[in-house]
Amino acid sequence: MNRSTETSNPSVGVCCRRGPTQPTLHDNLMERVLDRASLQRAWKQVKANGGAPGIDGMTVEEFPAFARAHWPAIRQALLDGIYQPSCVRRVSIPKPGGRGQRLLGIPIVLDRLICQAIQQVLTPIFDPEFSESSFGFRPRRSAHGALRQVTRFLREGRRMAVDLDLEKFFDRVNHDVLLARVSRKVGDQRLMALIGRYLRAGALAGEIIQATEIGTPQRSPLSPLLVNILLDDLDKELERRRLRFARYADDLLILVKSERAGQRVKASLTRYLTRRLKLVGHEAKSRVCPVHECVFLGITFRGSKLRWSDEAFADFQHRVRKLTGGSWGVSMSYRLSRLAQYLRGWMNDFGISEYYRPVPEIDHWIRRRIRMCYWKQWRWARTKVRNLLALGTHRRQAVMTAISRKSYWHLSKTLATQSGMTNEWLASQGLPSVRDLWIKAHGYA
């Protein structure tokens, strides 16, 4: 297919294909999207994800009442091909560790439901032919699979990495290039047009609606699949060249045996991305280097062993400090539930690290911060003494510690606070052990 076909009317490229390699076109997909069972499954997922309201202010809890009154008309508009998605609400959130801001687009709940239903119908059509080296946002695949694949390549003696960074990838996706690839298998023009309208729906920033002539909204349930559809051409090109790689969404790591080979691969792929996919590589961040100097999905490689990166660990510490900060006016039960949720999620992501040494120290640090939180919450000396005595602390130690004018952080490590707020007591209050989570992640228990 020539370049003009790929970036013009998607249906033209499909009609021009001939021969046994022609992909199967799937028609009448809109009816499958709007099937009752499909919508029920989509709603279950949208409800579980929760999330903030879009521009209409409607919450997930308020949506069922709205749907009962308006869904028949919305469904007919979708079938007729005249439904117009709402623009997303543009918000900025701080990046981990306070490194600037990230722009997100929050769709309304109705559009989340429709996009989730589309994603459920299209995934079985596209996913089976995706590359085995693609791991992001796919059924039964994860970041851990990508990392394990990299370690296998390391054992083959590939010690140089081509680390390609796609500059502002989600904001730079070319709609024509993307839709041309979707149209290879989607023959329902109503669905094709609807996906195009979602891409071009716009974003409300303050009181101004900004056009979205390029890019995909990062909070849409459909965006991860569209990303994989677009980058599947890149995966197939890498496979054609017999390169060893792992890709998770827009994070790509290619392993080669020499720096010379890496520089050659980097230059040719940069040209391919620009000319074929209309994507821009971040020249300052893309590089060829020894694998142990790379960070891939928050993990570094030491030999063939995995460790979480310094940056990922700094983000972890930053988040724990926020959750255990003294100025957060919440109950201890709520604080501990939020902290436990975060620790389990972080260990699900980074527990693959094979570096055990810092794990006990992390547990000690978190327990000390929680003891400090309790100490601040108890506030008055008499309250501190009463609670410490109830927890089994010796009276003299309880009194001397309670009337001390030393810092909260200092007193959280005293004999009185540790003999009262023991590790076992903190666990009974809902604080999980990072050590236990790490052991579980490695299958030792």
PDB file of all heavy atoms in Angstrom, residues 84-107:
ATOM      1  N   GLN A  84     -23.048  11.988  18.429  1.00  0.00           N
ATOM      2  CA  GLN A  84     -21.884  12.867  18.547  1.00  0.00           C
ATOM      3  C   GLN A  84     -21.312  12.783  19.965  1.00  0.00           C
ATOM      4  O   GLN A  84     -21.969  13.192  20.921  1.00  0.00           O
ATOM      5  CB  GLN A  84     -22.249  14.311  18.245  1.00  0.00           C
ATOM      6  CG  GLN A  84     -21.080  15.276  18.325  1.00  0.00           C
ATOM      7  CD  GLN A  84     -19.957  14.924  17.349  1.00  0.00           C
ATOM      8  OE1 GLN A  84     -20.191  14.694  16.167  1.00  0.00           O
ATOM      9  NE2 GLN A  84     -18.732  14.873  17.851  1.00  0.00           N
ATOM     10  N   PRO A  85     -20.114  12.233  20.138  1.00  0.00           N
ATOM     11  CA  PRO A  85     -19.512  12.164  21.477  1.00  0.00           C
ATOM     12  C   PRO A  85     -19.277  13.549  22.065  1.00  0.00           C
ATOM     13  O   PRO A  85     -19.100  14.536  21.342  1.00  0.00           O
ATOM     14  CB  PRO A  85     -18.181  11.443  21.239  1.00  0.00           C
ATOM     15  CG  PRO A  85     -18.322  10.776  19.912  1.00  0.00           C
ATOM     16  CD  PRO A  85     -19.245  11.637  19.115  1.00  0.00           C
ATOM     17  N   SER A  86     -19.264  13.619  23.395  1.00  0.00           N
ATOM     18  CA  SER A  86     -18.935  14.866  24.085  1.00  0.00           C
ATOM     19  C   SER A  86     -17.418  15.037  24.135  1.00  0.00           C
ATOM     20  O   SER A  86     -16.659  14.056  24.124  1.00  0.00           O
ATOM     21  CB  SER A  86     -19.497  14.851  25.511  1.00  0.00           C
ATOM     22  OG  SER A  86     -20.907  14.750  25.501  1.00  0.00           O
ATOM     23  N   CYS A  87     -16.979  16.271  24.212  1.00  0.00           N
ATOM     24  CA  CYS A  87     -15.546  16.506  24.366  1.00  0.00           C
ATOM     25  C   CYS A  87     -15.107  16.062  25.761  1.00  0.00           C
ATOM     26  O   CYS A  87     -15.916  15.972  26.687  1.00  0.00           O
ATOM     27  CB  CYS A  87     -15.210  17.975  24.137  1.00  0.00           C
ATOM     28  SG  CYS A  87     -15.970  19.121  25.293  1.00  0.00           S
ATOM     29  N   VAL A  88     -13.848  15.761  25.900  1.00  0.00           N
ATOM     30  CA  VAL A  88     -13.319  15.319  27.190  1.00  0.00           C
ATOM     31  C   VAL A  88     -13.001  16.533  28.060  1.00  0.00           C
ATOM     32  O   VAL A  88     -12.842  17.648  27.557  1.00  0.00           O
ATOM     33  CB  VAL A  88     -12.052  14.451  27.016  1.00  0.00           C
ATOM     34  CG1 VAL A  88     -12.369  13.197  26.225  1.00  0.00           C
ATOM     35  CG2 VAL A  88     -10.930  15.248  26.347  1.00  0.00           C
ATOM     36  N   ARG A  89     -12.932  16.296  29.348  1.00  0.00           N
ATOM     37  CA  ARG A  89     -12.545  17.358  30.282  1.00  0.00           C
ATOM     38  C   ARG A  89     -11.043  17.286  30.493  1.00  0.00           C
ATOM     39  O   ARG A  89     -10.525  16.278  30.982  1.00  0.00           O
ATOM     40  CB  ARG A  89     -13.285  17.208  31.614  1.00  0.00           C
ATOM     41  CG  ARG A  89     -12.950  18.286  32.631  1.00  0.00           C
ATOM     42  CD  ARG A  89     -13.964  18.292  33.769  1.00  0.00           C
ATOM     43  NE  ARG A  89     -13.956  17.061  34.533  1.00  0.00           N
ATOM     44  CZ  ARG A  89     -13.178  16.841  35.608  1.00  0.00           C
ATOM     45  NH1 ARG A  89     -12.323  17.784  36.016  1.00  0.00           N
ATOM     46  NH2 ARG A  89     -13.235  15.706  36.260  1.00  0.00           N
ATOM     47  N   ARG A  90     -10.343  18.322  30.096  1.00  0.00           N
ATOM     48  CA  ARG A  90      -8.882  18.349  30.198  1.00  0.00           C
ATOM     49  C   ARG A  90      -8.460  18.716  31.617  1.00  0.00           C
ATOM     50  O   ARG A  90      -8.865  19.757  32.145  1.00  0.00           O
ATOM     51  CB  ARG A  90      -8.320  19.371  29.206  1.00  0.00           C
ATOM     52  CG  ARG A  90      -6.812  19.532  29.189  1.00  0.00           C
ATOM     53  CD  ARG A  90      -6.077  18.314  28.744  1.00  0.00           C
ATOM     54  NE  ARG A  90      -6.500  17.751  27.478  1.00  0.00           N
ATOM     55  CZ  ARG A  90      -6.129  18.206  26.284  1.00  0.00           C
ATOM     56  NH1 ARG A  90      -5.357  19.274  26.181  1.00  0.00           N
ATOM     57  NH2 ARG A  90      -6.530  17.592  25.193  1.00  0.00           N
ATOM     58  N   VAL A  91      -7.678  17.863  32.231  1.00  0.00           N
ATOM     59  CA  VAL A  91      -7.153  18.117  33.576  1.00  0.00           C
ATOM     60  C   VAL A  91      -5.659  17.831  33.561  1.00  0.00           C
ATOM     61  O   VAL A  91      -5.158  17.077  32.716  1.00  0.00           O
ATOM     62  CB  VAL A  91      -7.843  17.244  34.645  1.00  0.00           C
ATOM     63  CG1 VAL A  91      -9.325  17.558  34.740  1.00  0.00           C
ATOM     64  CG2 VAL A  91      -7.641  15.758  34.367  1.00  0.00           C
ATOM     65  N   SER A  92      -4.957  18.424  34.486  1.00  0.00           N
ATOM     66  CA  SER A  92      -3.534  18.143  34.651  1.00  0.00           C
ATOM     67  C   SER A  92      -3.307  17.560  36.027  1.00  0.00           C
ATOM     68  O   SER A  92      -3.885  18.018  37.014  1.00  0.00           O
ATOM     69  CB  SER A  92      -2.696  19.416  34.468  1.00  0.00           C
ATOM     70  OG  SER A  92      -3.046  20.385  35.442  1.00  0.00           O
ATOM     71  N   ILE A  93      -2.507  16.514  36.093  1.00  0.00           N
ATOM     72  CA  ILE A  93      -2.177  15.887  37.364  1.00  0.00           C
ATOM     73  C   ILE A  93      -0.660  15.903  37.520  1.00  0.00           C
ATOM     74  O   ILE A  93       0.079  15.856  36.527  1.00  0.00           O
ATOM     75  CB  ILE A  93      -2.701  14.440  37.452  1.00  0.00           C
ATOM     76  CG1 ILE A  93      -2.063  13.566  36.359  1.00  0.00           C
ATOM     77  CG2 ILE A  93      -4.225  14.411  37.345  1.00  0.00           C
ATOM     78  CD1 ILE A  93      -2.379  12.098  36.493  1.00  0.00           C
ATOM     79  N   PRO A  94      -0.171  15.995  38.755  1.00  0.00           N
ATOM     80  CA  PRO A  94       1.284  16.001  38.946  1.00  0.00           C
ATOM     81  C   PRO A  94       1.898  14.662  38.601  1.00  0.00           C
ATOM     82  O   PRO A  94       1.329  13.608  38.909  1.00  0.00           O
ATOM     83  CB  PRO A  94       1.439  16.332  40.443  1.00  0.00           C
ATOM     84  CG  PRO A  94       0.140  15.931  41.061  1.00  0.00           C
ATOM     85  CD  PRO A  94      -0.916  16.141  40.022  1.00  0.00           C
ATOM     86  N   LYS A  95       3.022  14.686  37.931  1.00  0.00           N
ATOM     87  CA  LYS A  95       3.755  13.459  37.667  1.00  0.00           C
ATOM     88  C   LYS A  95       4.373  12.945  38.957  1.00  0.00           C
ATOM     89  O   LYS A  95       4.588  13.711  39.898  1.00  0.00           O
ATOM     90  CB  LYS A  95       4.849  13.715  36.622  1.00  0.00           C
ATOM     91  CG  LYS A  95       4.318  14.025  35.239  1.00  0.00           C
ATOM     92  CD  LYS A  95       5.461  14.207  34.253  1.00  0.00           C
ATOM     93  CE  LYS A  95       4.928  14.486  32.846  1.00  0.00           C
ATOM     94  NZ  LYS A  95       6.021  14.662  31.871  1.00  0.00           N
ATOM     95  N   PRO A  96       4.642  11.633  39.056  1.00  0.00           N
ATOM     96  CA  PRO A  96       5.251  11.080  40.267  1.00  0.00           C
ATOM     97  C   PRO A  96       6.531  11.805  40.646  1.00  0.00           C
ATOM     98  O   PRO A  96       7.339  12.149  39.779  1.00  0.00           O
ATOM     99  CB  PRO A  96       5.534   9.620  39.885  1.00  0.00           C
ATOM    100  CG  PRO A  96       4.543   9.320  38.806  1.00  0.00           C
ATOM    101  CD  PRO A  96       4.369  10.614  38.051  1.00  0.00           C
ATOM    102  N   GLY A  97       6.690  12.056  41.926  1.00  0.00           N
ATOM    103  CA  GLY A  97       7.885  12.721  42.405  1.00  0.00           C
ATOM    104  C   GLY A  97       7.904  14.209  42.168  1.00  0.00           C
ATOM    105  O   GLY A  97       8.929  14.858  42.353  1.00  0.00           O
ATOM    106  N   GLY A  98       6.766  14.769  41.750  1.00  0.00           N
ATOM    107  CA  GLY A  98       6.690  16.204  41.527  1.00  0.00           C
ATOM    108  C   GLY A  98       7.405  16.683  40.290  1.00  0.00           C
ATOM    109  O   GLY A  98       7.807  17.840  40.196  1.00  0.00           O
ATOM    110  N   ARG A  99       7.568  15.787  39.255  1.00  0.00           N
ATOM    111  CA  ARG A  99       8.301  16.152  38.045  1.00  0.00           C
ATOM    112  C   ARG A  99       7.346  16.700  36.990  1.00  0.00           C
ATOM    113  O   ARG A  99       7.082  16.074  35.963  1.00  0.00           O
ATOM    114  CB  ARG A  99       9.073  14.947  37.505  1.00  0.00           C
ATOM    115  CG  ARG A  99      10.157  14.415  38.440  1.00  0.00           C
ATOM    116  CD  ARG A  99      10.966  13.326  37.762  1.00  0.00           C
ATOM    117  NE  ARG A  99      10.115  12.227  37.355  1.00  0.00           N
ATOM    118  CZ  ARG A  99       9.791  11.203  38.131  1.00  0.00           C
ATOM    119  NH1 ARG A  99      10.247  11.156  39.368  1.00  0.00           N
ATOM    120  NH2 ARG A  99       9.023  10.236  37.687  1.00  0.00           N
ATOM    121  N   GLY A 100       6.770  17.856  37.237  1.00  0.00           N
ATOM    122  CA  GLY A 100       5.914  18.499  36.250  1.00  0.00           C
ATOM    123  C   GLY A 100       4.486  17.987  36.282  1.00  0.00           C
ATOM    124  O   GLY A 100       4.055  17.335  37.241  1.00  0.00           O
ATOM    125  N   GLN A 101       3.740  18.270  35.183  1.00  0.00           N
ATOM    126  CA  GLN A 101       2.321  17.937  35.084  1.00  0.00           C
ATOM    127  C   GLN A 101       2.073  17.035  33.875  1.00  0.00           C
ATOM    128  O   GLN A 101       2.755  17.130  32.860  1.00  0.00           O
ATOM    129  CB  GLN A 101       1.491  19.221  34.947  1.00  0.00           C
ATOM    130  CG  GLN A 101       1.615  20.181  36.128  1.00  0.00           C
ATOM    131  CD  GLN A 101       0.886  19.680  37.354  1.00  0.00           C
ATOM    132  OE1 GLN A 101      -0.245  19.202  37.275  1.00  0.00           O
ATOM    133  NE2 GLN A 101       1.534  19.802  38.501  1.00  0.00           N
ATOM    134  N   ARG A 102       1.055  16.181  33.999  1.00  0.00           N
ATOM    135  CA  ARG A 102       0.614  15.337  32.889  1.00  0.00           C
ATOM    136  C   ARG A 102      -0.816  15.709  32.528  1.00  0.00           C
ATOM    137  O   ARG A 102      -1.674  15.805  33.406  1.00  0.00           O
ATOM    138  CB  ARG A 102       0.706  13.860  33.259  1.00  0.00           C
ATOM    139  CG  ARG A 102       0.147  12.935  32.180  1.00  0.00           C
ATOM    140  CD  ARG A 102       0.236  11.471  32.572  1.00  0.00           C
ATOM    141  NE  ARG A 102       1.619  10.996  32.551  1.00  0.00           N
ATOM    142  CZ  ARG A 102       2.267  10.550  33.623  1.00  0.00           C
ATOM    143  NH1 ARG A 102       1.663  10.530  34.796  1.00  0.00           N
ATOM    144  NH2 ARG A 102       3.519  10.139  33.517  1.00  0.00           N
ATOM    145  N   LEU A 103      -1.083  15.930  31.241  1.00  0.00           N
ATOM    146  CA  LEU A 103      -2.423  16.287  30.785  1.00  0.00           C
ATOM    147  C   LEU A 103      -3.236  15.030  30.507  1.00  0.00           C
ATOM    148  O   LEU A 103      -2.763  14.117  29.824  1.00  0.00           O
ATOM    149  CB  LEU A 103      -2.348  17.147  29.518  1.00  0.00           C
ATOM    150  CG  LEU A 103      -1.735  18.539  29.676  1.00  0.00           C
ATOM    151  CD1 LEU A 103      -1.664  19.240  28.328  1.00  0.00           C
ATOM    152  CD2 LEU A 103      -2.547  19.378  30.661  1.00  0.00           C
ATOM    153  N   LEU A 104      -4.451  14.994  31.037  1.00  0.00           N
ATOM    154  CA  LEU A 104      -5.354  13.871  30.823  1.00  0.00           C
ATOM    155  C   LEU A 104      -6.680  14.387  30.285  1.00  0.00           C
ATOM    156  O   LEU A 104      -7.065  15.530  30.529  1.00  0.00           O
ATOM    157  CB  LEU A 104      -5.599  13.103  32.128  1.00  0.00           C
ATOM    158  CG  LEU A 104      -4.383  12.470  32.805  1.00  0.00           C
ATOM    159  CD1 LEU A 104      -4.810  11.802  34.098  1.00  0.00           C
ATOM    160  CD2 LEU A 104      -3.721  11.456  31.884  1.00  0.00           C
ATOM    161  N   GLY A 105      -7.393  13.526  29.560  1.00  0.00           N
ATOM    162  CA  GLY A 105      -8.722  13.849  29.084  1.00  0.00           C
ATOM    163  C   GLY A 105      -9.741  12.913  29.701  1.00  0.00           C
ATOM    164  O   GLY A 105      -9.638  11.689  29.530  1.00  0.00           O
ATOM    165  N   ILE A 106     -10.717  13.446  30.439  1.00  0.00           N
ATOM    166  CA  ILE A 106     -11.697  12.612  31.134  1.00  0.00           C
ATOM    167  C   ILE A 106     -13.015  12.623  30.352  1.00  0.00           C
ATOM    168  O   ILE A 106     -13.692  13.654  30.286  1.00  0.00           O
ATOM    169  CB  ILE A 106     -11.932  13.107  32.566  1.00  0.00           C
ATOM    170  CG1 ILE A 106     -10.601  13.099  33.342  1.00  0.00           C
ATOM    171  CG2 ILE A 106     -12.969  12.245  33.277  1.00  0.00           C
ATOM    172  CD1 ILE A 106     -10.714  13.632  34.748  1.00  0.00           C
ATOM    173  N   PRO A 107     -13.417  11.488  29.750  1.00  0.00           N
ATOM    174  CA  PRO A 107     -14.685  11.448  29.022  1.00  0.00           C
ATOM    175  C   PRO A 107     -15.867  11.387  29.999  1.00  0.00           C
ATOM    176  O   PRO A 107     -15.717  11.019  31.168  1.00  0.00           O
ATOM    177  CB  PRO A 107     -14.594  10.148  28.204  1.00  0.00           C
ATOM    178  CG  PRO A 107     -13.178   9.664  28.364  1.00  0.00           C
ATOM    179  CD  PRO A 107     -12.672  10.241  29.645  1.00  0.00           C
TER     180      PRO A 107
END
